[in-house]
Amino acid sequence: MLIDYHTHHARCGHAVGQLEDYVVSALNQGMEQIGLSDHMPLLHVSDKDNPDSAMPMDELPRYVEEALALKEKYKGRIEVRVGLEGDYVEGYEDKIERIVNGYPWDYVIGSVHFLGTWDVTDFRQINRWEGRRVVDVYEQYFDAITKAAATGFYDYIGHIDAIKRFGYRPEEDVTALEDAALQAVKQHDLAFELNTAGFYAPCKEMYPSVSILERASACGIPVTYGSDAHHPDKVGQKGAEAQEMLKKAGYTHLAVFAERKREMKPF
C-alpha cells in the first residue's frame, strides 16, 4: 500500500513509539502518504476507570501541534495527514463536534468503541458480554455506526464491524444490520476503511468481512486502507493482502484526504 490512514502512538497509552517513528516507518516503506490518527480524548467516562484508552484532553493540542510540525518537516518526502480517530458516543455529540471543528484536521475517522460505558474493543472488558444476547449487542453497535454516519462529523467510518473482535458472533443473520450501516455511510457520502488489525485479533478477520466489503463495493462506497498500527513496525501491516482483497471485491481506487476533502487515488 502507498498509504496508511490509521495509526496510533504513545499518547493514547496502549501504543508505543512517537509520532515521528510512524512517519519514518511509512517513509522507509516508500509510502506516499501517512495518516496520524490517534484516539480522541474520552468524553463520557473517566481516564481513571478506563486507563490507557485514549490521549488525555490536555495532550490534544500538543498532538495536533506535533503532527503539523511533522507535516512541514517531511514535506516533499512524504505527505503527512493530520487526523483523529473520533469516537462516536450517543448523547455526547456537542462535545465531539467541538473537537472536530476545533482543529485543522485533514480527516476524522468515525469509530464506535463504546456502547454506553462499555468499550467493546477492550480485552479488559470482555466479561461484560456475559449474560447478554450477542445479537442484541450487534444491534446496538450497528445502530451506533448508523448514527455516527449521520452526524456529519466524520470523513470515513473506521473498522465498521469491530464488534466481532473477540469472536462473539450471533447465531442470527445480521446482514440487515450491516446493510443498514452501509446505506447510512453511502447516504451521507462517507468512505469506510479496510482495517487489517482484525487479522491479529481473536476474530482472525480483517474489518470488514469479505462479504461486507463486496456489498460496499457493489453500492459504490469509497474505501481507504488503515493498518490501525499501535507500533511503528506495524505501519502498512498486511498491505499486500488488503490490496488483493480490495481488488477481488472490485475496488480500483482508495480514498485519500486533505483538509477534510476526499479524493480517489488508483492503486
Side-chain angles (χ1 to χ4, degrees), residues 42 44-45 50 87-92 111-122 125 128-129 132-148 159-164 168 177:
L42 299 175
H44 72 299
V45 292
N50 295 265
D87 269 52
Y88 173 74
V89 182
E90 187 173 2
Y92 289 81
S111 295
V112 172
H113 297 96
F114 284 90
L115 298 179
T117 60
W118 176 22
D119 184 347
V120 297
T121 67
D122 188 345
Q125 300 184 37
R128 297 184 71 166
W129 281 95
R132 301 175 189 261
R133 292 179 68 232
V134 174
V135 70
D136 291 343
V137 179
Y138 271 61
E139 287 176 355
Q140 189 179 357
Y141 176 84
F142 281 108
D143 179 64
I145 291 288
T146 299
K147 289 174 178 173
H159 44 60
I160 196 168
D161 62 347
I163 192 62
K164 71 187 181 188
Y168 289 89
L177 300 178

Side-chain angles (χ1 to χ4, degrees), residues 139-203:
E139 287 176 355
Q140 189 179 357
Y141 176 84
F142 281 108
D143 179 64
I145 291 288
T146 299
K147 289 174 178 173
T151 62
F153 299 159
Y154 308 112
D155 299 290
Y156 72 82
I157 296 297
H159 44 60
I160 196 168
D161 62 347
I163 192 62
K164 71 187 181 188
R165 179 178 185 181
F166 297 113
Y168 289 89
R169 297 179 187 266
E171 296 178 358
E172 297 85 353
D173 183 2
V174 293
T175 302
L177 300 178
E178 297 167 348
D179 284 349
L182 288 176
Q183 287 305 311
V185 173
K186 181 176 178 62
Q187 178 184 348
H188 297 286
D189 192 29
L190 303 182
F192 77 116
E193 71 174 355
L194 178 58
N195 181 313
T196 56
F199 182 85
Y200 300 96
C203 64

Side-chain angles (χ1 to χ4, degrees), residues 3-263:
I3 69 166
D4 186 348
Y5 266 63
H6 196 148
T7 62
H8 298 281
H9 76 299
R11 272 189 181 87
C12 73
H14 59 279
V16 300
Q18 301 305 309
L19 284 176
E20 189 163 11
D21 298 330
Y22 289 80
V23 175
V24 171
S25 178
L27 183 64
N28 289 342
Q29 293 180 57
M31 287 189 177
E32 295 177 1
Q33 297 184 19
I34 180 64
L36 306 175
S37 59
D38 221 336
H39 291 283
M40 182 183 76
L42 299 175
L43 300 177
H44 72 299
V45 292
S46 71
D47 294 307
K48 181 179 178 181
D49 293 333
N50 295 265
D52 302 328
S53 294
M55 77 175 90
M57 185 63 75
D58 61 1
E59 283 294 327
L60 182 59
R62 299 186 185 110
Y63 162 68
V64 176
E65 182 179 4
E66 183 180 351
L68 290 171
L70 290 170
K71 174 186 278 196
E72 185 65 27
K73 178 177 179 178
Y74 285 90
K75 185 180 293 185
R77 300 171 65 190
I78 186 171
E79 296 178 26
V80 176
R81 296 291 185 252
V82 181
L84 181 76
E85 185 170 19
D87 269 52
Y88 173 74
V89 182
E90 187 173 2
Y92 289 81
E93 289 86 353
D94 289 347
K95 290 184 177 181
I96 298 169
E97 187 173 20
R98 282 196 289 272
I99 291 175
V100 169
N101 292 335
Y103 296 91
W105 309 114
D106 285 310
Y107 66 101
V108 179
I109 307 171
S111 295
V112 172
H113 297 96
F114 284 90
L115 298 179
T117 60
W118 176 22
D119 184 347
V120 297
T121 67
D122 188 345
F123 69 92
R124 298 169 297 186
Q125 300 184 37
I126 292 178
N127 65 317
R128 297 184 71 166
W129 281 95
E130 295 175 8
R132 301 175 189 261
R133 292 179 68 232
V134 174
V135 70
D136 291 343
V137 179
Y138 271 61
E139 287 176 355
Q140 189 179 357
Y141 176 84
F142 281 108
D143 179 64
I145 291 288
T146 299
K147 289 174 178 173
T151 62
F153 299 159
Y154 308 112
D155 299 290
Y156 72 82
I157 296 297
H159 44 60
I160 196 168
D161 62 347
I163 192 62
K164 71 187 181 188
R165 179 178 185 181
F166 297 113
Y168 289 89
R169 297 179 187 266
E171 296 178 358
E172 297 85 353
D173 183 2
V174 293
T175 302
L177 300 178
E178 297 167 348
D179 284 349
L182 288 176
Q183 287 305 311
V185 173
K186 181 176 178 62
Q187 178 184 348
H188 297 286
D189 192 29
L190 303 182
F192 77 116
E193 71 174 355
L194 178 58
N195 181 313
T196 56
F199 182 85
Y200 300 96
C203 64
K204 300 296 183 185
E205 183 180 70
M206 295 187 194
Y207 312 119
S209 65
V210 171
S211 175
I212 293 177
L213 189 68
E214 290 175 344
R215 280 178 276 146
S217 178
C219 291
I221 300 173
V223 70
T224 193
Y225 161 78
S227 65
D228 211 337
H230 284 66
H231 188 289
D233 291 349
K234 295 295 186 179
V235 172
Q237 65 182 346
K238 292 293 178 182
E241 292 89 338
Q243 190 173 73
E244 186 63 24
M245 188 171 165
L246 288 167
K247 288 179 178 178
K248 286 183 177 178
Y251 282 103
T252 59
H253 290 67
L254 292 172
V256 295
F257 302 88
E259 298 179 350
R260 308 298 305 276
K261 295 179 181 179
R262 183 178 74 221
E263 295 184 1

